[in-house]
PDB file of all heavy atoms in Angstrom:
ATOM      1  N   VAL A  78     -24.937  55.276  -0.805  1.00 97.00           N
ATOM      2  CA  VAL A  78     -25.145  56.199  -1.918  1.00 97.00           C
ATOM      3  C   VAL A  78     -25.162  55.343  -3.186  1.00 97.00           C
ATOM      4  O   VAL A  78     -24.341  54.424  -3.338  1.00 97.00           O
ATOM      5  CB  VAL A  78     -24.020  57.262  -1.960  1.00 97.00           C
ATOM      6  CG1 VAL A  78     -24.165  58.168  -3.161  1.00 97.00           C
ATOM      7  CG2 VAL A  78     -24.009  58.061  -0.658  1.00 97.00           C
ATOM      8  N   SER A  79     -26.076  55.614  -4.085  1.00 98.00           N
ATOM      9  CA  SER A  79     -26.213  54.784  -5.286  1.00 98.00           C
ATOM     10  C   SER A  79     -24.982  54.895  -6.184  1.00 98.00           C
ATOM     11  O   SER A  79     -24.256  55.896  -6.145  1.00 98.00           O
ATOM     12  CB  SER A  79     -27.458  55.194  -6.076  1.00 98.00           C
ATOM     13  OG  SER A  79     -27.252  56.461  -6.679  1.00 98.00           O
ATOM     14  N   ARG A  80     -24.794  53.873  -7.001  1.00 98.00           N
ATOM     15  CA  ARG A  80     -23.698  53.880  -7.967  1.00 98.00           C
ATOM     16  C   ARG A  80     -23.813  55.105  -8.881  1.00 98.00           C
ATOM     17  O   ARG A  80     -22.823  55.783  -9.144  1.00 98.00           O
ATOM     18  CB  ARG A  80     -23.724  52.599  -8.808  1.00 98.00           C
ATOM     19  CG  ARG A  80     -22.580  52.489  -9.805  1.00 98.00           C
ATOM     20  CD  ARG A  80     -22.739  51.334 -10.783  1.00 98.00           C
ATOM     21  NE  ARG A  80     -23.276  50.142 -10.224  1.00 98.00           N
ATOM     22  CZ  ARG A  80     -22.570  49.051  -9.887  1.00 98.00           C
ATOM     23  NH1 ARG A  80     -21.262  49.044 -10.089  1.00 98.00           N
ATOM     24  NH2 ARG A  80     -23.155  47.990  -9.385  1.00 98.00           N
ATOM     25  N   SER A  81     -25.019  55.410  -9.341  1.00 98.00           N
ATOM     26  CA  SER A  81     -25.182  56.561 -10.240  1.00 98.00           C
ATOM     27  C   SER A  81     -24.830  57.866  -9.539  1.00 98.00           C
ATOM     28  O   SER A  81     -24.241  58.757 -10.159  1.00 98.00           O
ATOM     29  CB  SER A  81     -26.595  56.609 -10.828  1.00 98.00           C
ATOM     30  OG  SER A  81     -27.558  56.779  -9.816  1.00 98.00           O
ATOM     31  N   ASP A  82     -25.149  57.991  -8.266  1.00 98.00           N
ATOM     32  CA  ASP A  82     -24.771  59.207  -7.531  1.00 98.00           C
ATOM     33  C   ASP A  82     -23.264  59.275  -7.308  1.00 98.00           C
ATOM     34  O   ASP A  82     -22.678  60.362  -7.360  1.00 98.00           O
ATOM     35  CB  ASP A  82     -25.511  59.288  -6.198  1.00 98.00           C
ATOM     36  CG  ASP A  82     -26.975  59.666  -6.362  1.00 98.00           C
ATOM     37  OD1 ASP A  82     -27.384  60.090  -7.465  1.00 98.00           O
ATOM     38  OD2 ASP A  82     -27.730  59.526  -5.377  1.00 98.00           O
ATOM     39  N   LEU A  83     -22.627  58.137  -7.071  1.00 98.00           N
ATOM     40  CA  LEU A  83     -21.166  58.123  -6.938  1.00 98.00           C
ATOM     41  C   LEU A  83     -20.517  58.537  -8.256  1.00 98.00           C
ATOM     42  O   LEU A  83     -19.564  59.328  -8.264  1.00 98.00           O
ATOM     43  CB  LEU A  83     -20.666  56.736  -6.513  1.00 98.00           C
ATOM     44  CG  LEU A  83     -21.032  56.297  -5.099  1.00 98.00           C
ATOM     45  CD1 LEU A  83     -20.612  54.844  -4.875  1.00 98.00           C
ATOM     46  CD2 LEU A  83     -20.412  57.200  -4.048  1.00 98.00           C
ATOM     47  N   LEU A  84     -21.052  58.023  -9.360  1.00 98.00           N
ATOM     48  CA  LEU A  84     -20.507  58.393 -10.669  1.00 98.00           C
ATOM     49  C   LEU A  84     -20.726  59.879 -10.953  1.00 98.00           C
ATOM     50  O   LEU A  84     -19.872  60.532 -11.562  1.00 98.00           O
ATOM     51  CB  LEU A  84     -21.120  57.524 -11.769  1.00 98.00           C
ATOM     52  CG  LEU A  84     -20.681  56.059 -11.738  1.00 98.00           C
ATOM     53  CD1 LEU A  84     -21.533  55.225 -12.695  1.00 98.00           C
ATOM     54  CD2 LEU A  84     -19.207  55.905 -12.042  1.00 98.00           C
ATOM     55  N   GLU A  85     -21.832  60.436 -10.478  1.00 98.00           N
ATOM     56  CA  GLU A  85     -22.065  61.875 -10.652  1.00 98.00           C
ATOM     57  C   GLU A  85     -21.082  62.687  -9.821  1.00 98.00           C
ATOM     58  O   GLU A  85     -20.618  63.740 -10.254  1.00 98.00           O
ATOM     59  CB  GLU A  85     -23.506  62.253 -10.305  1.00 98.00           C
ATOM     60  CG  GLU A  85     -23.788  63.744 -10.447  1.00 98.00           C
ATOM     61  CD  GLU A  85     -23.315  64.399 -11.759  1.00 98.00           C
ATOM     62  OE1 GLU A  85     -23.480  63.804 -12.842  1.00 98.00           O
ATOM     63  OE2 GLU A  85     -22.748  65.519 -11.694  1.00 98.00           O
ATOM     64  N   GLU A  86     -20.738  62.211  -8.630  1.00 98.00           N
ATOM     65  CA  GLU A  86     -19.726  62.894  -7.811  1.00 98.00           C
ATOM     66  C   GLU A  86     -18.376  62.891  -8.533  1.00 98.00           C
ATOM     67  O   GLU A  86     -17.660  63.898  -8.536  1.00 98.00           O
ATOM     68  CB  GLU A  86     -19.598  62.234  -6.435  1.00 98.00           C
ATOM     69  CG  GLU A  86     -20.777  62.480  -5.527  1.00 98.00           C
ATOM     70  CD  GLU A  86     -20.909  63.933  -5.108  1.00 98.00           C
ATOM     71  OE1 GLU A  86     -19.872  64.621  -4.937  1.00 98.00           O
ATOM     72  OE2 GLU A  86     -22.048  64.388  -4.948  1.00 98.00           O
ATOM     73  N   ILE A  87     -18.030  61.771  -9.152  1.00 98.00           N
ATOM     74  CA  ILE A  87     -16.790  61.696  -9.933  1.00 98.00           C
ATOM     75  C   ILE A  87     -16.861  62.663 -11.109  1.00 98.00           C
ATOM     76  O   ILE A  87     -15.891  63.371 -11.404  1.00 98.00           O
ATOM     77  CB  ILE A  87     -16.517  60.255 -10.410  1.00 98.00           C
ATOM     78  CG1 ILE A  87     -16.263  59.333  -9.208  1.00 98.00           C
ATOM     79  CG2 ILE A  87     -15.346  60.211 -11.395  1.00 98.00           C
ATOM     80  CD1 ILE A  87     -16.265  57.850  -9.544  1.00 98.00           C
ATOM     81  N   ALA A  88     -18.010  62.728 -11.767  1.00 98.00           N
ATOM     82  CA  ALA A  88     -18.181  63.650 -12.902  1.00 98.00           C
ATOM     83  C   ALA A  88     -18.033  65.102 -12.448  1.00 98.00           C
ATOM     84  O   ALA A  88     -17.420  65.916 -13.147  1.00 98.00           O
ATOM     85  CB  ALA A  88     -19.533  63.420 -13.573  1.00 98.00           C
ATOM     86  N   ALA A  89     -18.580  65.424 -11.274  1.00 98.00           N
ATOM     87  CA  ALA A  89     -18.453  66.794 -10.757  1.00 98.00           C
ATOM     88  C   ALA A  89     -16.995  67.124 -10.456  1.00 98.00           C
ATOM     89  O   ALA A  89     -16.524  68.229 -10.748  1.00 98.00           O
ATOM     90  CB  ALA A  89     -19.320  66.962  -9.508  1.00 98.00           C
ATOM     91  N   ALA A  90     -16.273  66.175  -9.876  1.00 98.00           N
ATOM     92  CA  ALA A  90     -14.842  66.388  -9.614  1.00 98.00           C
ATOM     93  C   ALA A  90     -14.077  66.535 -10.924  1.00 98.00           C
ATOM     94  O   ALA A  90     -13.179  67.375 -11.035  1.00 98.00           O
ATOM     95  CB  ALA A  90     -14.284  65.235  -8.782  1.00 98.00           C
TER      96      ALA A  90
END
Side-chain angles (χ1 to χ4, degrees):
V78 176
S79 71
R80 183 189 321 258
S81 63
D82 286 348
L83 292 173
L84 290 169
E85 179 48 42
E86 289 293 326
I87 295 168

